[in-house]
Amino acid sequence: MKAVCLTTMITVLLFCTDGIQAQTTQTESPKAGSEYNVLDAWSGIWNVQGELRDSISSPSYHVYWTLTSKRILNGYALEILHQWKTKDFTQNGVEITGYDPIKKICMTHIFYDDGTWLNSTPTFTDKRTCIEDGAMYYPNGKVEVSRWTWNFSDDWMSFIVKGENLKDNVWWKAFEGKGTKSN
C-alpha cells in the first residue's frame, strides 16, 4: 500500500511539474531588424595602429589596439573585447553597445581591467562618419570628457579614428590612428 501510494504521489508530482514547465516554456525571442545593422560597423576583428598622448603637452607613443566584436542578444547589442598594447603596458576592456532605432544613437559602456570605465553615445552623422561623445571615469575620481571621430571606408574594411579630450574648454588630440578589419 505504501509503495502504491508513494508511486502515485511521485507520478502526480511529475505530471504537475511537466504541466508547469510546459506553461512557462518561452518561445524564441525575436531577432533584431535591419535597423540594428548599424552595429555591424564595428563587428569583426579590427587592428588599429595609432599614436596616443596622455596630456596636451606630453609626447605621443605608439599603441596597438585590437577590437574583437560580435553581435549578441539576438542582434540587439554588440560585444567588443578591447586590448590596448604599448611598450609599457597592456590594458583590456569589455564593451557592450546597444542601439536606439528611434533616436538613431548607440549607447556604449566599456569597462577596463584597471577599474576605469567609459560611457558614450556614438552617432552616425552621415553614411560613413560616426561621432562618439563620452566620458572616461577613473578609479581616482578623475573624469575625462572625450570625442571620437570614426571615418569608415566605402567598403567598411578600414577606418581613420581621432580621439580628442576636453581640457579647459579646449579640444586637444589625444589619439589618432588607422584601423583595418581582418574578417
Side-chain angles (χ1 to χ4, degrees):
M1 183 72 175
K2 285 183 183 178
V4 172
C5 186
L6 184 58
T7 303
T8 303
M9 287 175 54
I10 290 173
T11 304
V12 168
L13 181 61
L14 289 173
F15 178 74
C16 288
T17 303
D18 284 345
I20 292 170
Q21 287 176 349
Q23 291 173 359
T24 60
T25 301
Q26 294 183 359
T27 59
E28 187 175 321
S29 297
K31 303 279 188 238
S34 61
E35 65 272 23
Y36 289 87
N37 288 350
V38 68
L39 296 172
D40 287 336
W42 291 274
S43 291
I45 299 172
W46 288 92
N47 295 296
V48 184
Q49 293 189 28
E51 296 292 321
L52 179 67
R53 292 189 311 163
D54 294 325
S55 70
I56 294 173
S57 59
S58 68
S60 62
Y61 53 94
H62 200 72
V63 173
Y64 295 97
W65 180 14
T66 303
L67 299 97
T68 305
S69 55
K70 63 182 177 181
R71 299 229 344 229
I72 59 171
L73 301 173
N74 287 329
Y76 288 100
L78 185 71
E79 173 190 73
I80 303 176
L81 302 178
H82 292 256
Q83 186 172 70
W84 286 75
K85 283 188 177 187
T86 71
K87 184 176 101 174
D88 298 326
F89 73 96
T90 298
Q91 183 181 43
N92 296 291
V94 175
E95 172 180 339
I96 300 295
T97 294
Y99 180 67
D100 182 335
I102 305 301
K103 294 180 182 176
K104 306 270 188 249
I105 62 170
C106 293
M107 293 108 359
T108 293
H109 297 281
I110 306 173
F111 300 93
Y112 293 99
D113 59 3
D114 65 352
T116 304
W117 61 279
L118 178 133
N119 183 31
S120 68
T121 55
T123 306
F124 276 89
T125 58
D126 63 34
K127 266 181 113 171
R128 301 282 185 253
T129 303
C130 180
I131 306 292
E132 180 176 4
D133 294 307
M136 182 80 79
Y137 297 85
Y138 295 91
N140 64 5
K142 177 182 169 188
V143 178
E144 196 169 66
V145 175
S146 64
R147 174 176 61 207
W148 293 78
T149 303
W150 306 83
N151 290 302
F152 289 90
S153 63
D154 289 339
D155 65 0
W156 294 94
M157 296 301 288
S158 64
F159 60 66
I160 296 171
V161 60
K162 178 175 70 171
E164 299 171 286
N165 291 340
L166 184 62
K167 173 94 172 157
D168 298 326
N169 290 323
V170 175
W171 287 101
W172 60 276
K173 185 169 51 175
F175 181 83
E176 188 168 42
K178 294 180 180 181
T180 55
K181 190 174 187 177
S182 62
N183 73 345

